[in-house]
Amino acid sequence: MSDIDSLLDRNRAFAESGAWRNTPRLPFLPFKNLYVITCIDPRTDPADFLGLEFGEAIVARAVGGRVTGLVLRDLFYISYLVEQKAPEGPYFEAAVIHHTDCGSRLLEDPELRHGFAERSGYDEAELAQLPATVPADTVRADVEKILSTPQISPRITVSGHVYHTDTGLLETVTKAAHPGT
Ligand SMILES: [Zn+2]
């Protein structure tokens, strides 16, 4: 028996509920016009702390919620799809969320970082940039990275937030702004 087997009953209940019939229209226009970028940490699932329901948001998750090249590529792709396939919109808000007590901070340890770089082949200097040491600072930097990427549609907006694991509260650090502004 695999670990996912114990959840198949929940899947059957979901299928029976019919919730999946209420589907956002392509290309990827979620009901709340929201594209959330957050950490893979099991404590930082936006379905929990934002109460997101079926089809309400696109959710991208990466270590630390950091906007790496792959995260940026996906965001670029979706914003391009909306421009091409649904130019009338609505365009979405990309909400970047970093959090306190993040596991990415374990990479602040030079020994662990060096060992991981050797084992993985990833650039050690790049890995040193990954930890969300001060999440308010890293989230500002990542929002700025998206806003200054010229390929991203200027019709979307981007905002930055910190999720506090000790209170469950989300704090807005940068208000929604359009790329190129
Ligand atoms: Zn984290």
Side-chain angles (χ1 to χ4, degrees):
M1 181 167 163
S2 77
D3 289 333
I4 201 168
D5 287 345
S6 67
L7 297 177
L8 294 182
D9 282 347
R10 295 188 196 180
N11 171 251
R12 279 185 283 272
F14 171 73
E16 281 166 20
S17 78
W20 50 271
R21 291 183 204 278
N22 183 27
T23 305
R25 84 187 159 95
L26 286 176
F28 306 106
L29 299 173
F31 296 133
K32 293 285 187 192
N33 299 324
L34 203 58
Y35 190 121
V36 180
I37 298 167
T38 188
C39 186
I40 60 172
D41 190 312
R43 297 169 298 172
T44 64
D45 187 335
D48 299 324
F49 69 79
L50 292 178
L52 289 177
E53 294 186 358
F54 182 80
E56 287 190 330
I58 294 170
V59 177
R61 301 185 69 174
V63 170
R66 299 309 309 270
V67 178
T68 60
L70 281 175
V71 171
L72 200 56
R73 188 188 69 182
D74 288 351
L75 180 62
F76 174 32
Y77 175 56
I78 301 303
S79 74
Y80 178 74
L81 273 187
V82 177
E83 275 183 340
Q84 297 300 312
K85 301 289 187 184
E88 77 283 5
Y91 284 78
F92 54 84
E93 173 174 343
V96 185
I97 300 171
H98 293 180
H99 71 98
T100 56
D101 192 33
C102 186
S104 64
R105 296 197 58 187
L106 296 172
L107 278 175
E108 290 166 13
D109 174 1
E111 200 176 322
L112 185 96
R113 188 169 68 235
H114 182 69
F116 180 55
E118 290 234 303
R119 174 78 166 265
S120 64
Y122 296 124
D123 183 70
E124 197 168 340
E126 266 178 43
L127 291 174
Q129 300 300 312
L130 195 64
T133 305
V134 179
D137 292 349
T138 51
V139 86
R140 264 193 203 92
D142 282 2
V143 165
E144 189 50 43
K145 186 176 188 175
I146 298 171
L147 291 176
S148 61
T149 298
Q151 295 95 331
I152 299 282
S153 172
R155 297 187 64 182
I156 71 162
T157 57
V158 189
S159 59
H161 316 263
V162 172
Y163 173 72
H164 293 270
T165 52
D166 55 343
T167 61
L169 285 172
L170 193 70
E171 172 195 4
T172 294
V173 175
T174 66
K175 288 190 163 56
H178 291 280
T181 57

